């Protein structure tokens, strides 16, 4: 009888702990994913990191964790740092340019109020690719989530002073680029108009129309998924070259036959191209600081990177 009572008590305690863990997963899974996605730029890797984090929590005494949110953030950050260090060599052998994976859904949850949504933009994620893993972690945690330097230091294994210096240095490096800056509803309308004009000029090979849209130092970067899709292998820098590519009758021919629509991709209005409902390409624009011209064009055509964009424009 005593043994049965002990067993029932143990089972009750285990059941309560499982219920607590399930609640934590529901409350913090999206928050954990949002950090991992900003750090890694790919959905599958971010999801793997989140699963590892909560699998580790299952093995721990939850009562020993004072701040579960900070613990999750630190756990995700450390796993992302390890993955970024190992991914560096893989991306060096990638055929063509590597761009982050676009997403239709923002994966925001209860903690979304603390996040800067503009730090999900394709342009911002591309900027992060210029940083070392530690720089990326410090910048994301401070810029997107407003963590204090003391907390960031504990997450990345640096001193508070180091973290301040890292953030300040990165901020200076990236400050000339408008990516990551929040835009107002009025500016969003301007962006939508820009996308409409771009679509029309691109479809019609309209040289004068496209010329008016591009800045002098416009950049076009395309990602065909390594060897999967033949596309533009090297970034094109300068209005003349970008203009030639976007209005050529021999480049991106099939893309003009696909149906295009303006949709929310990475928190901003961008273009999705489909063939009979299947997503074939995502084209993201980064506008100039004035918002009146296009600074960068990011074209993602690799099939493995398009799985988290809704397959049909009808939702």
């Amino acid at each position: 009888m005593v043994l049965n009572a002990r067993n029932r008590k143990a089972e009750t305690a285990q059941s309560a702990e499982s219920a607590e863990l399930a609640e934590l997963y529901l409350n913090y899974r999206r928050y954990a994913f949002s950090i991992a996605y900003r750090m890694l730029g790919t959905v599958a890797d971010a999801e793997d990191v989140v699963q590892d984090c909560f699998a580790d929590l299952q093995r721990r005494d939850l009562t020993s964790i004072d701040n579960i949110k900070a613990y999750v953030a630190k756990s995700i950050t450390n796993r992302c740092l390890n993955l970024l260090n190992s991914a560096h060599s893989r991306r060096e052998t990638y055929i063509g340019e590597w761009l982050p994976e676009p997403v239709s859904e923002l994966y925001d949850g209860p903690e979304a109020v603390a996040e800067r949504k503009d730090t999900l933009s394709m342009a911002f994620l591309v900027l992060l690719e210029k940083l070392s893993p530690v720089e990326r972690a410090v910048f994301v945690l401070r810029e997107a989530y407003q963590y204090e330097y003391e907390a960031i230091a504990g997450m990345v294994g640096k001193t508070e002073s180091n973290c301040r210096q890292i953030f300040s240095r990165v901020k200076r490096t990236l400050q000339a680029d408008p990516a990551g800056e929040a835009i107002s509803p009025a500016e969003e309308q301007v962006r939508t108009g820009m996308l409409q004009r771009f679509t029309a000029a691109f479809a019609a090979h309209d040289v004068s129309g496209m010329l008016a849209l591009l800045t002098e130092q416009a950049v076009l970067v395309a990602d065909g998924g390594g060897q999967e899709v033949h596309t533009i292998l090297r970034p094109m820098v300068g209005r003349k070259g970008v203009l030639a590519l976007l209005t050529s009758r021999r480049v991106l021919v099939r893309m003009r036959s696909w149906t295009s629509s303006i949709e929310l991709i990475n928190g901003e209005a961008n273009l999705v191209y489909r063939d009979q409902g299947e997503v074939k390409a995502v084209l993201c624009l980064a506008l100039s600081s004035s918002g009146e011209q296009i600074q960068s064009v990011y074209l993602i055509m690799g099939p493995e990177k398009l799985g988290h964009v809704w397959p049909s424009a009808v939702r």
Side-chain angles (χ1 to χ4, degrees):
M1 292 290 291
V2 174
L3 184 60
N4 287 338
R6 287 177 178 173
N7 286 341
R8 285 196 298 271
K9 186 176 181 180
E11 289 172 359
T12 300
Q14 186 176 12
S15 177
E17 187 171 327
S18 296
E20 184 181 2
L21 185 63
E23 184 178 357
L24 289 176
Y25 183 76
L26 288 174
N27 288 339
Y28 291 102
R29 179 182 67 85
R30 291 177 180 268
Y31 174 66
F33 178 90
S34 69
I35 296 176
Y37 174 71
R38 285 172 171 88
M39 286 281 292
L40 302 172
T42 60
V43 173
D45 286 342
E47 288 177 338
D48 286 346
V49 163
V50 172
Q51 291 301 320
D52 286 346
C53 171
F54 283 94
D56 175 66
L57 274 174
Q58 194 169 18
R59 297 187 292 267
R60 292 187 178 274
D61 177 9
L62 299 179
T63 61
S64 66
I65 302 174
D66 295 329
N67 186 329
I68 190 66
K69 178 183 175 183
Y71 182 89
V72 168
K74 181 177 181 178
S75 179
I76 291 293
T77 299
N78 288 336
R79 284 173 167 79
C80 287
L81 287 173
N82 292 335
L83 202 54
L84 284 171
N85 284 321
S86 63
H88 181 70
S89 59
R90 294 200 306 272
R91 291 182 187 175
E92 282 185 340
T93 60
Y94 192 82
I95 304 300
E97 291 298 305
W98 191 95
L99 287 173
E101 184 177 339
V103 292
S104 294
E105 187 180 359
L106 295 185
Y107 294 85
D108 292 327
E111 301 294 336
V113 68
E115 302 171 20
R116 282 187 53 189
K117 301 300 185 299
D118 44 297
T119 60
L120 275 167
S121 74
M122 181 60 62
F124 185 82
L125 295 179
V126 170
L127 283 180
L128 294 182
E129 289 297 316
K130 301 175 182 179
L131 308 178
S132 71
V134 170
E135 287 175 334
R136 189 164 182 157
V138 170
F139 194 65
V140 165
L141 292 169
R142 181 64 178 172
E143 186 77 356
Y145 298 93
Q146 293 88 51
Y147 271 100
E148 297 297 331
Y149 289 109
E150 181 181 3
I152 296 172
M155 294 180 194
V156 301
K158 300 286 185 180
T159 66
E160 184 177 342
S161 176
N162 284 157
C163 291
R164 287 182 181 276
Q165 291 172 4
I166 289 170
F167 181 80
S168 179
R169 182 174 66 247
V170 171
K171 192 76 170 177
R172 286 196 304 271
T173 301
L174 303 182
Q175 66 182 355
D177 200 303
E181 295 179 2
I183 61 176
S184 66
E187 289 171 323
E188 190 64 39
Q189 288 185 342
V190 172
R191 180 183 181 83
T192 300
M194 190 80 68
L195 287 164
Q196 292 170 337
R197 291 167 60 197
F198 178 93
T199 302
F202 177 69
H205 308 276
D206 181 358
V207 174
S208 60
M210 189 66 75
L211 182 65
L213 292 174
L214 301 172
T215 65
E216 188 66 36
Q217 295 301 316
V219 178
L220 186 150
V221 183
D223 185 344
Q227 297 178 323
E228 294 188 47
V229 176
H230 178 68
T231 187
I232 303 155
L233 291 179
R234 296 181 180 84
M236 178 60 69
V237 181
R239 182 162 55 186
K240 183 177 180 180
V242 174
L243 176 67
L245 284 173
L246 292 176
T247 58
S248 171
R249 295 184 181 274
R250 295 181 295 176
V251 180
L252 304 174
V253 176
R254 286 187 303 163
M255 191 169 162
R256 287 182 172 84
S257 69
W258 299 333
T259 302
S260 66
S261 58
I262 298 174
E263 300 175 31
L264 199 65
I265 298 293
N266 284 67
E268 291 183 326
N270 284 300
L271 291 170
V272 179
Y273 287 81
R274 294 181 177 84
D275 183 20
Q276 298 182 350
E278 180 184 356
V279 178
K280 290 293 196 178
V282 169
L283 190 147
C284 300
L285 300 181
L287 304 186
S288 63
S289 56
S290 67
E292 297 176 354
Q293 287 184 297
I294 298 168
Q295 179 59 50
S296 302
V297 179
Y298 303 109
L299 176 61
I300 301 99
M301 302 180 76
E304 84 291 348
K305 289 192 174 181
L306 300 174
H308 293 273
V309 177
W310 283 311
S312 174
V314 180
R315 292 186 284 281

